[in-house]
């Protein structure tokens, strides 16, 4: 049996789906019991535990062959960086106390950088808290989520324009599809054992905003043009979407880090790639 946290979000659900599809037993970890009802109906066990509750999380992990762990986004907080460290410390204690043989931790490209990456700094704080854990860990550092483009799909449909904070428009960067992240997490949990901590840079393909615009246009049967949003407008757009000013600023800094080549893979990371193509990802998003 494997424990999977974050099943109410994208990647945790993708990992649980992949494990169940492979015939594995799964124990989902949820904060509220009702969040596990749909998973229980599919044959999964349900453990109720907040990731900052060390005794409850330890109990949820104990007796499993491994776990998928992540730092749940807390964009409602003024300082999610402190929260990431708090969650990381609790997870570290629970992993050590549980005696499980391995864990795969969702992280982010650029998490090795102490500064210059904006909101990715939460992943840095989370990873730092796990440094002393003796349980074998795989830090799966996902690149730019392709599903982020869903946030501007309305503009694509309405005006044939793909607005983006990524710049320059022709430059390709690694992007990761959630289903591929889930598959990679499941493969690491089920695959050969390892010792110590390993870091894995993960992506599905490389694509530029211009490439994404073309792929989405093809999927929708129209011509779509990528347009870079000026730096001075970005924070306001994010705040109008409901983000606190501090969080909006952190996301703007993240894009500056990506655009400036700071939020990139560590030189000593392993490289792993998914199987989804840009065209397939665009068709799924458009659908």
């Amino acid at each position: 049996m494997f424990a999977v946290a974050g099943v109410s979000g994208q990647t945790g659900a993708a990992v649980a789906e992949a494990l169940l599809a492979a015939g594995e037993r799964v124990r989902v970890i949820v904060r509220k019991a009702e969040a596990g009802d749909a998973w229980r109906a599919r044959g999964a066990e349900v453990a109720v535990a907040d990731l900052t509750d060390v005794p409850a999380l330890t109990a949820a992990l104990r007796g499993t062959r491994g776990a998928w762990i992540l730092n749940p986004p807390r964009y409602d907080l003024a300082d999610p960086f402190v929260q990431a460290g708090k969650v990381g410390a609790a997870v570290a204690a629970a992993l050590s106390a549980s005696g499980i043989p391995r864990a795969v931790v969702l992280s982010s490209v650029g998490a090795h950088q102490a500064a210059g990456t904006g909101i990715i700094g939460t992943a840095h704080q989370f990873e730092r808290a796990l440094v002393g854990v003796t349980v074998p860990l795989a830090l799966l550092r996902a690149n730019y989520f392709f599903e982020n483009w869903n946030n501007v799909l309305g503009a694509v449909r309405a005006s044939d324009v793909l607005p983006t904070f990524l710049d320059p428009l022709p430059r390709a960067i690694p992007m990761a599809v959630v289903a591929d992240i889930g598959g990679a997490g499941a493969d690491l949990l089920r695959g050969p054992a390892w010792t110590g901590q390993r870091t894995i840079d993960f992506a599905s393909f490389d694509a530029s905003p211009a490439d994404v615009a073309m792929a989405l246009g093809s999927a929708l049967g129209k011509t779509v043009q990528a347009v870079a949003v000026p730096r001075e407008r970005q924070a306001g757009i994010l705040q109008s979407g409901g983000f606190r000013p501090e969080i909006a600023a952190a996301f703007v800094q993240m894009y500056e880090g990506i655009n400036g080549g700071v939020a990139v893979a560590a030189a000593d990371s392993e490289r792993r790639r998914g199987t989804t193509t840009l065209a397939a990802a665009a068709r799924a998003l458009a659908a």
Side-chain angles (χ1 to χ4, degrees), residues 215-263:
L216 284 173
S218 178
L220 293 168
K222 58 168 63 181
T223 300
V224 177
Q225 180 180 3
V227 176
V229 176
R231 165 69 172 75
E232 60 271 16
R233 291 182 51 207
Q234 294 174 7
I237 290 172
L238 292 169
Q239 289 181 55
S240 68
F243 284 106
R244 301 169 62 109
E246 303 92 338
I247 304 301
F251 270 99
V252 171
Q253 291 164 7
M254 178 193 77
Y255 279 98
E256 289 178 342
I258 295 172
N259 294 339
V262 178

Side-chain angles (χ1 to χ4, degrees), residues 77-114:
L77 301 178
D79 195 339
F81 303 94
V82 170
Q83 177 69 9
K86 179 180 178 181
V87 174
V91 166
L95 286 172
S96 297
S98 69
I100 64 172
R102 71 178 78 180
V104 181
V105 178
L106 177 66
S107 189
S108 170
V109 63
H112 62 293
Q113 301 283 20

Side-chain angles (χ1 to χ4, degrees), residues 3 19 48 64 78 92 100 142 199 210 255 276:
L19 289 170
V48 180
T64 65
I100 64 172
T199 59
Y255 279 98
T276 305

Side-chain angles (χ1 to χ4, degrees), residues 88-187:
V91 166
L95 286 172
S96 297
S98 69
I100 64 172
R102 71 178 78 180
V104 181
V105 178
L106 177 66
S107 189
S108 170
V109 63
H112 62 293
Q113 301 283 20
T117 60
I119 199 68
I120 292 174
T122 57
H124 178 75
Q125 296 299 329
F126 192 59
E127 284 195 13
R128 283 185 61 193
L130 301 175
V131 167
V133 174
T134 56
V135 172
L137 296 182
L139 304 175
L140 190 65
R141 292 177 175 165
N143 278 268
Y144 191 85
F145 276 35
F146 182 81
E147 283 76 7
N148 288 341
W149 296 106
N150 188 56
N151 296 324
V152 294
L153 197 56
V156 173
R157 293 185 185 278
S159 59
D160 301 346
V161 167
L162 180 76
T164 179
F165 294 178
L166 296 172
D167 196 26
L169 299 176
R171 189 185 68 179
I173 64 169
M175 297 185 186
V177 174
V178 167
D180 283 350
I181 296 172
D187 288 346

